[in-house]
């Protein structure tokens, strides 16, 4: 049995956990403050939140950890529940995606830990501690995507197994486009905003048909595959899950990173801009020039995404876990 800690922020952690669970031939128990996903194939241990206790006191333990607020009842209950589960279930390893504190808790119980490393500036003391206690470090980007980690020593970067982008959807050959005007899909993400800038972009591109997916806008769908595959261009943030799904659909993209802790999306966008990927990268959502921008993006060859996401990342991840003791 394997335990998989799933961070509750965003949907990407849940999607890749479910993809891995389906690829493995042993039970995977999810541990998370997020609700159990509809497609989760096994047991789900729901944990208390640790960020709803009001003003947080010394939440980083003087910079050694990321989130351990003093006196927080939710933190106490969730930590106790994970400890009880580790003792009762005795998993052979735990995947931390992502939490330094959960990784440490498992290792203190004598359980090997595999940490999913997220792009960005990860050289702080807490990240280093989590990396140091992990048996394996996994990066869900291709080996060709150099520079996804910043401010970490070379020996840490050298330990990361770059397995490729992990999409919950299979890689498909581009289908013949249906008749009609050129189409653009905008993926705002579960935390993304749809504001006046998007309305301005649509106004500048009267010849394009836009589909906007945003939880805030009320137009988000759990399965955006059809909307992505139907697009001539996808405008997206630089989250790992969104990029993997755009790459799996082999669609050219305009990528606009959103603010995230540790410069996660900014780092990913910089790597995309420096590489051979079929994406135009903008540091912020542009106010002007969308007609030209979409035409330029549509001319890119979406097949160039193949090294980013070849459809086998979940299988490689599963093979790595099978060999981890």
């Amino acid at each position: 049995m394997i335990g998989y800690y799933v961070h509750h922020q965003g949907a990407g952690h849940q999607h890749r956990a479910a993809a891995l669970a389906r690829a493995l031939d042993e039970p995977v128990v999810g541990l998370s403050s997020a609700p159990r996903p509809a497609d989760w194939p096994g047991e789900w241990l729901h944990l208390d939140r640790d960020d709803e206790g009001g003003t947080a006191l010394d939440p980083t333990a003087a910079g050694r950890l990321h989130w351990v607020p003093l006196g927080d009842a939710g933190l106490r209950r969730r930590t106790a529940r994970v400890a009880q589960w580790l003792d009762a279930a005795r998993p052979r390893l735990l995947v931390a995606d992502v939490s330094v504190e959960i990784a440490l808790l498992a290792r203190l119980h004598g359980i090997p830990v595999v940490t999913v490393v997220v792009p960005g500036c990860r050289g702080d003391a807490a990240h280093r501690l989590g990396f140091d206690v992990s048996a394996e470090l996994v990066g869900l980007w291709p080996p060709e995507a150099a520079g996804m980690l910043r401010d970490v020593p070379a020996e840490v970067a050298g330990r990361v197994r770059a397995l490729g982008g992990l999409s919950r959807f299979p890689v498909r050959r581009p289908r013949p486009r249906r008749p009609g005007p050129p189409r653009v899909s905008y993926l705002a993400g579960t935390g993304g905003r749809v504001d006046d800038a998007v309305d301005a972009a649509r106004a500048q591109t009267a010849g394009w048909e836009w589909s906007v997916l945003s939880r805030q806008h009320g137009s988000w769908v759990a399965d955006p595959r059809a909307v992505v595959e139907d697009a001539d261009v996808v405008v997206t943030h630089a989250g790992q899950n969104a990029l993997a799904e755009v790459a799996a659909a082999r669609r050219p993209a305009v990528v606009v990173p959103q603010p995230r802790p540790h410069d996660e999306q900014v780092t990913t966008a910089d790597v995309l801009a420096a590489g051979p990927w079929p994406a135009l990268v903008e540091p912020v959502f542009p106010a002007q020039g969308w007609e030209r921008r979409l035409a330029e993006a549509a001319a890119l060859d979406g097949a160039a995404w193949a090294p980013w996401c070849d459809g086998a990342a979940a299988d490689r991840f599963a093979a790595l876990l099978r060999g981890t003791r």
Side-chain angles (χ1 to χ4, degrees):
M1 177 193 295
I2 290 174
Y4 196 119
Y5 176 77
V6 182
H7 199 285
H8 62 274
Q9 292 289 349
H13 306 287
Q14 297 178 34
H15 293 329
R16 58 192 179 217
L20 174 67
R22 290 191 293 269
L24 280 165
D25 50 7
E26 63 182 306
V28 180
V29 177
L31 298 86
S32 182
S33 298
R36 184 182 188 274
D39 61 346
W40 185 254
E43 182 183 349
W44 189 264
L45 186 71
H46 190 264
L47 305 176
D48 284 80
R49 292 283 292 256
D50 58 0
D51 56 357
E52 297 177 337
T55 302
L57 301 176
D58 190 19
T60 68
R64 298 300 299 176
L65 297 170
H66 283 149
W67 191 255
V68 284
L70 289 171
D72 189 281
L75 174 65
R76 184 171 60 252
R77 289 192 296 265
R78 71 188 271 115
T79 304
R81 190 159 195 206
V82 173
Q84 290 165 1
W85 180 81
L86 291 171
D87 181 47
R90 292 182 291 176
R92 69 174 187 87
L93 63 84
L94 183 132
V95 179
D97 182 8
V98 285
S99 168
V100 170
E101 292 75 27
I102 294 293
L104 286 174
L105 184 61
R107 187 62 187 86
L108 285 168
H109 282 74
I111 308 296
V113 176
V114 174
T115 287
V116 177
V117 181
V118 181
C121 301
R122 307 289 169 176
D124 59 89
H127 275 113
R128 287 293 308 278
L129 180 58
F131 298 157
D132 288 346
V133 304
S134 298
E136 295 283 358
L137 303 177
V138 169
L140 295 174
W141 55 78
E144 297 90 338
M148 293 289 273
L149 291 180
R150 293 176 174 174
D151 303 331
V152 300
E155 61 267 24
V156 171
R159 291 182 56 207
V160 176
R161 306 282 196 98
L163 303 181
L166 197 165
S167 171
R168 57 185 160 152
F169 306 135
V171 171
R172 293 187 180 180
R173 292 183 178 181
R175 297 176 299 179
R177 71 183 311 279
R178 60 183 174 86
R183 287 178 286 275
V184 55
S185 295
Y186 175 53
L187 306 182
T190 55
R193 294 178 59 89
V194 176
D195 52 24
D196 293 343
V198 179
D199 291 337
R202 299 174 77 168
Q204 294 169 38
T205 53
W208 287 74
E209 181 182 295
W210 283 69
S211 296
V212 176
L213 299 184
S214 165
R215 193 178 297 276
Q216 277 196 339
H217 197 253
S219 56
W220 185 255
V221 293
D223 184 349
R225 175 171 35 181
V227 176
V228 170
E229 291 181 346
D230 193 47
D232 295 280
V233 175
V234 179
V235 179
T236 180
H237 56 92
Q240 288 185 280
N241 190 65
L243 289 176
E245 292 180 0
V246 171
R250 303 294 190 255
R251 288 296 182 261
V254 176
V255 178
V256 185
Q258 294 175 353
R260 290 294 185 273
H262 307 285
D263 287 342
E264 174 190 341
Q265 292 201 16
V266 170
T267 299
T268 303
D270 288 346
V271 170
L272 288 173
W277 317 107
L280 302 181
V281 177
E282 301 286 351
V284 296
F285 200 93
Q288 302 293 331
W290 276 98
E291 187 74 41
R292 172 197 57 77
R293 186 171 292 104
L294 292 181
E296 185 178 347
L300 298 173
D301 182 5
W305 280 121
W308 191 280
C309 179
D310 64 2
D315 293 330
R316 285 190 288 269
F317 198 171
L320 183 148
L321 296 184
R322 291 188 193 102
T324 302
R325 294 292 185 270

